[in-house]
Each structure stands twice: as structure tokens, then as C-alpha cells.
Amino acid sequence: MAGTDSSIPISLAPTPAIILCEPQLGENIGSAARAMANFGLWDLRLVRPRDGWPNEKAVAAASRADHVLEQVRVFQTLEDAIADLTLVYATTARSRDMQKDVLGPEEASLNMAGHIAGGHKAGLLFGRERWGLLNDEVAMSDAIVTLPVEAAFASLNIAQAVLLMSYEWRRTSAAGRALPFSDGLDEAAPRSELVGLFEHLEGVLDQSGFFTTPDKKPSMVNNLRTALTRGRFTSQEIRTLRGVISSIDRRHERPNPNRMKKAEKPGEQG
Amino acid sequence: MAGTDSSIPISLAPTPAIILCEPQLGENIGSAARAMANFGLWDLRLVRPRDGWPNEKAVAAASRADHVLEQVRVFQTLEDAIADLTLVYATTARSRDMQKDVLGPEEASLNMAGHIAGGHKAGLLFGRERWGLLNDEVAMSDAIVTLPVEAAFASLNIAQAVLLMSYEWRRTSAAGRALPFSDGLDEAAPRSELVGLFEHLEGVLDQSGFFTTPDKKPSMVNNLRTALTRGRFTSQEIRTLRGVISSIDRRHERPNPNRMKKAEKPGEQG
């Protein structure tokens, strides 16, 4: 199949963001950009690309999908890359033993189409070439998306995975707008606020001795983040939950000699 | 996405044949073979491959999709290559001013699935890298299949086009219903455990002075319960969250005279 026609205007309609986590090869970034352009996507974000940015090999592989490359944004953390999104799916070919929904591409695309049609922002995470996404990256997502591949041949390169998800977006996005009304849920908070909640809670738990063994802390943190992500909290709910944490945490400030004098009188503290 | 597991048996169920007309690069043949293997196709036919067959570059690009390469058949004419087929679609990105139906990938796949389920054979033609299919090749087909690409970026390489059509086959044929793994969600906890979490949290918040005005308490409780219900927590997660609440709450036990003596030594409490 052939054909690139630069005389046709390009539309930057609202579409999902594509977030590549630590991509290693410029060729793959370029091929992913081209695959996005094939199906009308344009918001490409890179988290710590190994060879920096811009990247000449990416330009060559993008085959004139310049409007995508020009929009590329580079981030130092995944948290920053998804800060403005309110629906985030993690693509993976491996089961993760995590408390996350697993969706096929069609269901994921339909969900994103409904979300974006409602004026909100959605994005898809793709992992690095050799290892895919790390569990702490998957933990930041609302659900997992996996492709209906043969079990014996599950591996796709990043550009192929981006191509298939972009195709599926294109195919299903028209249908996604068809519902006469959407649910009554307020918008989920931007991911940056959820990260703020996590960091607040984890900081307090560090102080309280919740993480008894250091080597278990990462998986405990992932489990907590996974549980707290599923609720799709609004900004108001996140403020409330942070108030909850602060309220419990402050109930008995760490005693210092001056305060303790007072505290010895029953009922004055708290 | 990663994962090739050679221990899983490969099924050679009836699927469409993929026919590449005069492919020029071995890499593209190998990538097409791999894309077929990803989605359970295996019948690959080559018409006059430029660099002959077998082809080492194809083997390298196929990434262990050996069962597809081993089955490859080479033909001198398109007529020979499609001799046993009774339904043939030509893939193209260009309009052909021919009296042929033009189908999207989904409709084409559904038609092929019905045809193959009836015990018949179907195939998809793909053109050469630079020019696609010739008109006399398209003329041999029952209909044209084209992908819903952006008009300005219509070109896909052969392996990408094969990947998308193979995915669409997988999706729309019966096998398409199965994802390689299903979600890891454990069952949500019985509602009694959720209520236990609520009562625990609300009791601690009563103590901590979170509910500043009594008349607002009912709506604050409702909002918290609403947010915490949406996550559909498992029993394990509820235990974890109750541990979180207790851990923060216990950080500074309400001081009593005996404990406070110890607490005056820095670092012993908490």
C-alpha cells in the first residue's frame, strides 16, 4: 500500500496521547509516529528516551509524519507525562497479577472514544523494547490493554503495537460518539493530583512505620496505588482524602518536650 | 510488548492465505510472516520474490515464526498462487476506477470468516513495496479491501498491512474473542467488609475532629463512602487499607503518663 499526499490538510482533532516509556531506538519512535499519522493520532510523549531528543533516526523512520514529531514532548517521569490525563491504559503482552481490569483493544478504544468525546483526555502507555512496562508504571494506569495475539507469538514491537491501537482507535472512535448521553460521573482528577495523594499517603506511612521491611515497600506501594487508582477519584475526592490523611496524622503530633507537658493533662490534646 | 513461548503448540486452523506479489525485500517477507504468526495465520504464498527463496533476511526478520516460513510456497504467476482459493480480496490504498466493491477490513474479515467456516478457502493479495498491486492483479480479485487511513498518510508497508489484516481476522473470527490472559481482578469483598472499613475510618475521623460541623457529617460520610466504593476493593485490599488507617492513627498513641516517659527519649516512639 502506498501514498503520502502532503497537499491534504492534517486535522489535529482530540485523540488519545501515546506515551512511550524509555524507548531505546529512534527508529521505533519514528515508526510509531508514522503509525499514529496513518490513523490520525498526533500527541506523542516520550519518557526518558535513551538516545535523547530530537533523534535523526526517528525522523528518517517517520516517513514525513513531521507534524507528529514536531509535537513530541519529552518528560523525565511518567507522572509528569500523564499529569493532564484522566484515563490511562497500559498496554502489555504479559499478565501482571495486579488488581486491574484487562481490556481488549476494541473495548479500550470505545472507552477512550467516549471519554474524549466528553471533552476529557486519555492516553495509552507503551513499554520499552526489551522489557515492556514496569509494574510500577502499570500501577499508574486505570486498566491493562492487551491484544488478542497467539499465545506462542505474543511479542509485537512498539511500532506495531502503536499501529494496531491507532487503527482500533480510528475504527471505533466514530462509534464511541454515538451514545445519546454519558454517565453522570464528574471528571476524574488529572493524574498529577492522584500522584500527589499517593506521595502524601506514602510519606505519612513512612513516618508511621507502615513499611516494616524495606524490600517489601515497592510492592506494598504498588498494591495501594492500584487499589486507589481504580476508584477514579475526582479532584474534590482527592482533596477530601488528603484531608482524611492529615486529620488522622495530626491527631497526635509527634510529642516534643513542650507539648508533652500539656498533653499530660487528660483531654487537652487531639 | 514481549513474549515468544516456543513451548505452546501452534494451531494451523483454517485461516486466510496471504499472497505477496513480487515482494522486493526479505525483511518485509519475514516481518509479514511474524505478523501472521502473531494472529494465528500461517499460509504465506510468494509470487516471484525478487531475491529468490529461501531468504536469510526473511528468516532474521521473522523472529522465530519458523512454522510460517517453512510453509511458504513460491509461485511464478498470481493465477497459480490463488488457484485453490474461492474468495480473493486485493488490498490497496489507492482508488482503482474498477467495477469492484470496496470493503473495509472488518467487512472483509467477516466475509472471509463466513467463507472459511463453510469449508472454503480465501486469500488476501498484497502488492510490491513501491507500486502496490497492478491493475491486472486487482482484476483477479472479488473485491478491494482498503484501510481507514488518514488521506494524507495513506501508505503502510507490507508488513504493517499484513499485521492489520491479520489482527482484523483474529478479532472478527471466533478466535478473536480470546485474549491471551484475562483480568487479574479478584472478587470484590462482601459488602460487610466494606462497611467495616467505613466504620473503622469514620470512627477514627470522629476522634480526630475531621467532622467539624455535625450537620455536615452525613454528606461528608456519603461522599467518602461513594469514593471508596467505586474501587471495588478486594478483601485483601480492605485489610491493607485498614492497616493504613491503624498505622497512621497509632503513630502517636494518645499519650498517657507511663508511655510519655519513654517517648521523651527521641526516636523511641512511632
Side-chain angles (χ1 to χ4, degrees), chain A residues 167-168 170 208 247 252, chain B residues 150 167-168 170 208 247 252:
Chain A
Y167 164 76
E168 196 54 74
R170 177 80 164 199
S208 76
S247 174
H252 313 296
Chain B
E150 277 286 309
Y167 164 76
E168 195 56 74
R170 176 79 164 197
S208 76
S247 174
H252 313 294

Side-chain angles (χ1 to χ4, degrees), chain A residues 14-35:
Chain A
T15 52
I18 300 293
I19 303 109
L20 308 184
C21 294
E22 296 192 330
Q24 293 160 287
L25 299 175
E27 291 88 332
N28 288 336
I29 300 170
S31 301
R34 174 71 200 192

Side-chain angles (χ1 to χ4, degrees), chain A residues 1 3 34 38 101 106 148 150 153-156 167-168 170-171 208 230-232 237 247 249 251-252, chain B residues 1 3 34 38 106 148 150 153-156 167-168 170-171 185 208 230-231 237 247 249 251-252:
Chain A
M1 297 199 167
R34 174 71 200 192
N38 285 134
D101 275 328
E106 181 170 17
E150 277 287 309
F153 293 94
S155 78
L156 292 170
Y167 164 76
E168 196 54 74
R170 177 80 164 199
R171 195 180 70 77
S208 76
R230 276 210 313 280
R232 301 186 53 69
E237 287 170 339
S247 174
D249 186 43
R251 176 148 84 104
H252 313 296
Chain B
M1 298 200 164
R34 175 70 200 195
N38 283 133
E106 182 170 17
E150 277 286 309
F153 292 94
S155 78
L156 292 170
Y167 164 76
E168 195 56 74
R170 176 79 164 197
R171 194 181 68 78
L185 289 183
S208 76
R230 276 209 314 278
E237 287 171 340
S247 174
D249 186 43
R251 174 146 86 102
H252 313 294

Side-chain angles (χ1 to χ4, degrees), chain A residues 4 15 85 92 123 145 176 179 207 212-213 227 244-246 253 260 263 267:
Chain A
T4 298
T15 52
L85 306 180
T92 169
V145 180
L179 293 178
Q207 296 284 316
T212 43
T213 47
V244 162
I245 296 165
S246 297
E253 302 279 354
M260 291 180 68

Side-chain angles (χ1 to χ4, degrees), chain A residues 75-255:
Chain A
F75 298 89
Q76 285 310 304
T77 68
L78 175 59
E79 286 80 353
D80 289 343
I82 63 177
D84 60 324
L85 306 180
T86 48
L87 180 67
V88 176
Y89 290 144
T91 62
T92 169
R94 286 186 288 124
S95 175
R96 301 290 180 136
D97 196 22
M98 289 174 109
Q99 294 291 318
K100 298 269 183 198
D101 275 328
V102 176
L103 311 177
E106 181 170 17
E107 188 179 2
S109 276
L110 286 168
N111 291 352
M112 289 193 297
H115 192 77
I116 288 173
H120 312 305
K121 287 188 170 186
L124 285 165
L125 309 185
F126 294 84
R128 40 200 76 55
E129 282 87 342
R130 296 183 67 84
W131 313 283
L133 289 167
L134 306 177
N135 279 351
D136 60 350
E137 293 164 341
V138 176
M140 299 288 297
S141 69
D142 294 296
I144 286 170
V145 180
T146 195
L147 290 156
V149 286
E150 277 287 309
F153 293 94
S155 78
L156 292 170
N157 70 39
I158 295 175
Q160 290 175 316
V162 170
L163 180 77
L164 287 170
M165 290 307 303
S166 299
Y167 164 76
E168 196 54 74
W169 163 261
R170 177 80 164 199
R171 195 180 70 77
T172 54
S173 56
R177 295 185 201 115
L179 293 178
F181 57 88
S182 62
D183 62 43
L185 293 179
D186 286 343
E187 191 175 5
R191 204 47 59 108
S192 54
E193 296 177 13
L194 192 63
V195 171
L197 170 67
F198 293 159
E199 291 175 349
H200 181 177
L201 176 62
E202 291 152 17
V204 169
L205 291 175
D206 266 330
Q207 296 284 316
S208 76
F210 181 75
F211 303 113
T212 43
T213 47
D215 58 326
K216 285 196 182 159
K217 180 178 168 184
S219 70
M220 293 173 82
V221 163
N222 275 352
N223 291 342
L224 268 176
R225 289 183 170 203
T226 292
L228 293 175
T229 298
R230 276 210 313 280
R232 301 186 53 69
F233 299 133
T234 65
S235 296
Q236 177 57 54
E237 287 170 339
I238 286 178
R239 283 194 294 275
T240 301
L241 290 169
R242 293 188 66 160
V244 162
I245 296 165
S246 297
S247 174
I248 307 176
D249 186 43
R250 275 198 309 263
R251 176 148 84 104
H252 313 296
E253 302 279 354
R254 191 171 184 79

Side-chain angles (χ1 to χ4, degrees), chain B residues 28-136:
Chain B
N28 288 336
I29 300 170
S31 300
R34 175 70 200 195
M36 292 170 64
N38 283 133
F39 294 108
L41 280 71
W42 50 271
D43 184 355
L44 178 57
R45 308 175 183 195
L46 309 178
V47 179
R48 293 187 302 276
R50 187 190 66 183
D51 296 337
W53 192 260
N55 181 314
E56 280 184 18
K57 289 181 177 169
V59 174
S63 308
R64 290 182 284 174
D66 300 330
H67 66 292
V68 177
L69 294 184
E70 284 162 10
Q71 308 257 357
V72 162
R73 283 176 283 171
V74 177
F75 298 90
Q76 285 310 303
T77 66
L78 176 59
E79 288 79 353
D80 288 345
I82 62 176
D84 59 325
L85 307 181
T86 48
L87 181 66
V88 176
Y89 290 143
T91 61
T92 171
R94 285 185 288 126
S95 172
R96 303 283 180 147
D97 199 21
M98 290 171 111
Q99 293 295 316
K100 298 268 184 201
D101 275 331
V102 176
L103 312 177
E106 182 170 17
E107 188 179 1
S109 275
L110 286 168
N111 291 351
M112 289 193 297
H115 192 77
I116 288 172
H120 311 303
K121 288 189 169 183
L124 285 164
L125 309 185
F126 294 84
R128 40 199 77 57
E129 283 87 341
R130 295 183 69 83
W131 311 285
L133 289 167
L134 307 176
N135 279 351
D136 61 349

Side-chain angles (χ1 to χ4, degrees), chain B residues 161-182:
Chain B
V162 169
L163 180 77
L164 288 170
M165 291 305 303
S166 299
Y167 164 76
E168 195 56 74
W169 163 262
R170 176 79 164 197
R171 194 181 68 78
T172 53
S173 62
R177 290 180 211 124
L179 297 176
F181 57 91
S182 62

